[in-house]
Amino acid sequence: MKYGMNLLLWSGEVTEDLYPTIEHLKAAGFDGVELPMFNLDLDYAALGKKLDEVGLERTAVTIRNLEDNPISPEASVRAKGVELNKKTLDCCAAAGVETLVGPYHSAIGHFSGAGPSEDEWKWGVESMQKTAEYAQEVGVKLGVEALNRFECYFLNTHADSARFARDVDNPACGIMYDTFHSNIEEKDIAAAVRAGGDKLFHIHISENDRSTPGEGLIRWEENFDAIVGCGYDGWLVIEAFGLALPEIAAATKIWRRMYKDEMTLATEGLRFMRDQIAKRTT
């Protein structure tokens, strides 16, 4: 396993102001960090160089919105979604990112009042096929994320995202598993983890209240039994949210502090993940 920390706990973009935090995360024992890629005009090559110097690997996360929705009925809007996915992949390549994860399959926080239509599924697959072809060219993997029904209507379960990735049918396109969304949507944790099969490229470790992993109500024993039992040995990345991101508070629904401080959350979460894996592998 490799252990990472999503920098969204601190900021929606990674600038030099976060370099001391990155160094602290390395000292704490993390193998890598997950970069929020919302601002595509930052110097990601310089960031990649800094992370190389620190000795941290990296993954990244991004989203799509209504104006660049890859499943929009408007072809121009879908094209913009693909264009921005490709631009994000350029930033990933510049920063040395291994895998780009997130709900960039459709617009986050937008609802049609129904589940995905046949046309939306077809448009989504076509948009992601174009994205995956470009991902292959630049050497970045895709980890498509299912979100719970309160954040998205296109992909809600891990069986949904696995079927989607198989319809895209490109070796660069897989899925990520998320303990937070699974806790809301799945009836069988083990089956949800296994749903990805060889398409399971990434895992987010996230508590039910988005704070310190291991201190809430997620069914951790079932999750880690399934993760180790299926043979997964890739990234386990803590995804937690706090008050540092008022611009996405409407999406994360975080209004109050639920942990001592960010670095304590990260270090305790890392210890929790390592302990859970050690119990099952030693």
Side-chain angles (χ1 to χ4, degrees):
M1 298 289 184
K2 292 190 287 188
Y3 300 92
M5 183 70 209
N6 192 320
L7 295 177
L8 275 172
L9 183 61
W10 287 270
S11 177
E13 58 184 45
V14 183
T15 64
E16 291 185 5
D17 292 342
L18 269 187
Y19 285 2
T21 297
I22 287 170
E23 291 168 354
H24 286 316
L25 291 170
K26 172 62 178 178
F30 281 95
D31 300 305
V33 290
E34 193 151 280
L35 310 175
M37 283 198 174
F38 306 143
N39 181 352
L40 303 183
D41 295 320
L42 299 177
D43 188 345
Y44 285 102
L47 176 57
K49 183 178 179 182
K50 173 63 178 179
L51 291 168
D52 284 339
E53 292 170 357
V54 173
L56 286 171
E57 298 178 58
R58 65 234 61 150
T59 58
V61 60
T62 197
I63 62 172
R64 293 275 64 83
N65 293 298
L66 189 58
E67 63 269 20
D68 45 63
N69 184 4
I71 65 168
S72 169
E74 299 294 330
S76 60
V77 176
R78 298 198 300 274
K80 185 176 181 182
V82 172
E83 176 189 349
L84 286 174
N85 280 346
K86 289 181 177 180
K87 187 174 180 180
T88 306
L89 286 165
D90 285 335
C91 295
C92 288
V97 164
E98 176 184 324
T99 307
L100 176 65
V101 304
Y104 44 87
H105 46 71
S106 60
I108 189 171
H110 168 68
F111 300 92
S112 67
S117 68
E118 289 185 10
D119 280 340
E120 286 173 325
W121 188 270
K122 180 188 65 148
W123 293 327
V125 168
E126 290 172 351
S127 294
M128 196 59 66
Q129 285 173 334
K130 294 172 184 176
T131 299
E133 288 169 6
Y134 195 72
Q136 273 191 303
E137 290 180 26
V138 299
V140 178
K141 294 190 297 183
L142 304 176
V144 175
E145 180 178 13
L147 300 184
N148 70 78
R149 78 194 82 166
F150 307 108
E151 298 180 39
C152 161
Y153 71 93
F154 186 61
L155 301 177
N156 292 137
T157 70
H158 295 90
D160 290 340
S161 56
R163 179 167 72 92
F164 181 73
R166 296 192 191 287
D167 282 358
V168 172
D169 193 24
N170 185 300
C173 183
I175 74 164
M176 61 157 284
Y177 174 79
D178 187 296
T179 60
F180 174 83
H181 299 298
S182 176
N183 185 60
I184 295 172
E185 295 295 340
E186 306 289 359
K187 293 184 181 297
D188 185 327
I189 296 298
V193 173
R194 291 194 302 266
D198 62 350
K199 289 291 187 179
L200 180 58
F201 287 0
H202 195 76
I203 291 178
H204 273 174
I205 299 297
S206 189
E207 193 50 91
N208 70 289
D209 63 354
R210 294 296 204 180
S211 65
T212 310
E215 295 188 358
L217 299 176
I218 294 292
R219 289 147 62 180
W220 289 115
E221 294 296 321
E222 290 181 48
N223 273 278
F224 280 104
D225 284 349
I227 289 166
V228 173
C230 77
Y232 179 82
D233 63 355
W235 283 101
L236 298 179
V237 174
I238 296 173
E239 184 183 54
F241 297 109
L243 302 178
L245 294 168
E247 66 270 26
I248 63 168
T252 61
K253 306 296 189 295
I254 301 297
W255 321 117
R256 67 192 190 278
R257 178 177 292 279
M258 292 175 283
Y259 51 87
K260 179 182 177 182
D261 59 71
E262 287 81 3
M263 195 55 65
T264 299
L265 184 157
T267 55
E268 291 183 356
L270 176 61
R271 182 168 56 250
F272 173 71
M273 292 190 298
R274 288 190 182 279
D275 287 349
Q276 291 296 317
I277 296 301
K279 283 197 318 186
R280 292 163 172 81
T281 57
T282 58

